[in-house]
Amino acid sequence: MESFMIGRPVIRACSFVLMMTALTSFSTARAGDAVFDLSPEQPGRIHAGRDERATAVIPKDFKFVKPGVFSVAVSPSGPPLATYATDATTVVGADPDIAYAIADSLGLKLELVPAAWIDWPLGLVSGKYDAVISNVGVTEQRKEKFDFSTYRQGLHGIYVKSDSKITSIKEPKDAAGLRVIVGAGTNQERILVEWSKENVAAGLKPLELQYYDDEAASLLALASGRADVIVQPHAQLVYISARDKNIKGVGTLSAGWPDRSDVAITTRKGSGLAYALTIATNNLIAGGTYAKILDRWQLAEEAVPKSETNPPGLPKF
C-alpha cells in the first residue's frame, strides 16, 4: 500500500440536495452574466486591424475551406472559454474572441463551427475547417499530426471558500494535510498524487483527495466545510467564482506540472498556416488587443508573453 492518502470518498448526494443546489446555481447564474456578457450581440467584443506581416506569410497554395473566410472549430463546453449565448445558438467566449481577432488580422470573415471537443481532430484532418481554437493543449503526440500556434497557458485553478484562512497554495507543502476535491482520472488528479508523494517523502502530511459525482456536489462539499480546496480547470473556476461569489482563487497549477503547458491554435500538419497565425497572435499581444480579450473574460493569469510555433509539448504520461 502507498504511504500517501489518495482515498476516494465519493459522495452521492441525495436528489433533494442536488435539486436545491441546482436551483441555487440557476438563481445565481445572472450574477455571472453581469460579469460576463453572454449576449449574442457581444457589443464589447475587441476587434483588430489587418496584419500585413501575417497575411504575407500565408502560403500561396493554401486554400481556406471557404474563400475569404477563416473557418474555426470551437467546442462550446462552458464559460468563459466558449459557450452558447442567451439565444442558445451563437457561440461566445474567450476562444471565439481570439478567433475573431485572428480573422480580423488575416483580413478574413470568421465562421465559427461548433464541434464536440472529441471530434476536432477528424474534422481538421478532413478539411472541415481551417483551424481549431478550443483549449487544445500542445503535446508531443499531437505534434505528429498537427501544427500549433500558442495563445494561452493551460492552467488548473486552486480555489477555497471566500472566508477560508488559506491564502496561497503554490507548491506541494502548501497543501499538506488538506482535503482536496479533484476529478477522478483527470490530469489534475495525477499532479496532486505526485504532490502528496513529495509531501510524504519530505515528512509532511499527505493530501486527502476527495471525489464527487458532479460539480454541484463538489461545490456543496466545499461550501459545507467537508473539503478545504477544489482543483479543476482554471477558467471553469473563474466563472463559478464570479457567478456564486463564495469561492476565491489561491493559486494556479500548470496542466503540465512540473512543466509548462501551452494551449494553441491548431492547424493541419504542414499546411504552413501556423506561421501566419503565430505572427498574427504576437501582433495582438504587442498591440494590447490580446490582453484586452483575456481581461474581458477574467483570464489574464493565462496570458503568454509571446506566441510560438510548435514549441516543446507535453510528453506522454
Side-chain angles (χ1 to χ4, degrees), residues 127-161:
K128 190 174 181 179
Y129 23 79
D130 303 306
V132 178
I133 303 180
S134 194
N135 204 38
V136 179
V138 181
T139 70
E140 288 302 312
Q141 184 174 11
R142 288 174 181 157
K143 281 169 62 179
E144 295 173 2
K145 294 184 178 180
F146 305 101
D147 286 330
F148 294 97
S149 300
T150 58
Y151 71 100
R152 278 201 347 266
Q153 294 183 64
L155 296 180
H156 298 312
I158 305 173
Y159 276 65
V160 298
K161 287 176 61 177

Side-chain angles (χ1 to χ4, degrees), residues 55-63:
T55 58
V57 300
I58 297 174
K60 300 298 183 183
D61 59 350
F62 182 84
K63 293 184 179 180

Side-chain angles (χ1 to χ4, degrees), residues 23-92:
L23 288 174
T24 300
S25 297
F26 177 80
S27 67
T28 56
R30 293 187 182 277
D33 294 350
V35 177
F36 300 104
D37 175 15
L38 301 183
S39 70
E41 296 82 10
Q42 292 293 292
R45 177 173 286 136
I46 312 299
H47 291 282
R50 183 184 175 96
D51 184 344
E52 298 298 339
R53 289 184 60 243
T55 58
V57 300
I58 297 174
K60 300 298 183 183
D61 59 350
F62 182 84
K63 293 184 179 180
F64 289 94
V65 173
K66 296 181 180 179
V69 176
F70 185 39
S71 298
V72 176
V74 61
S75 175
S77 55
L81 291 182
T83 189
Y84 284 109
T86 51
D87 64 355
T89 301
T90 307
V91 181
V92 299

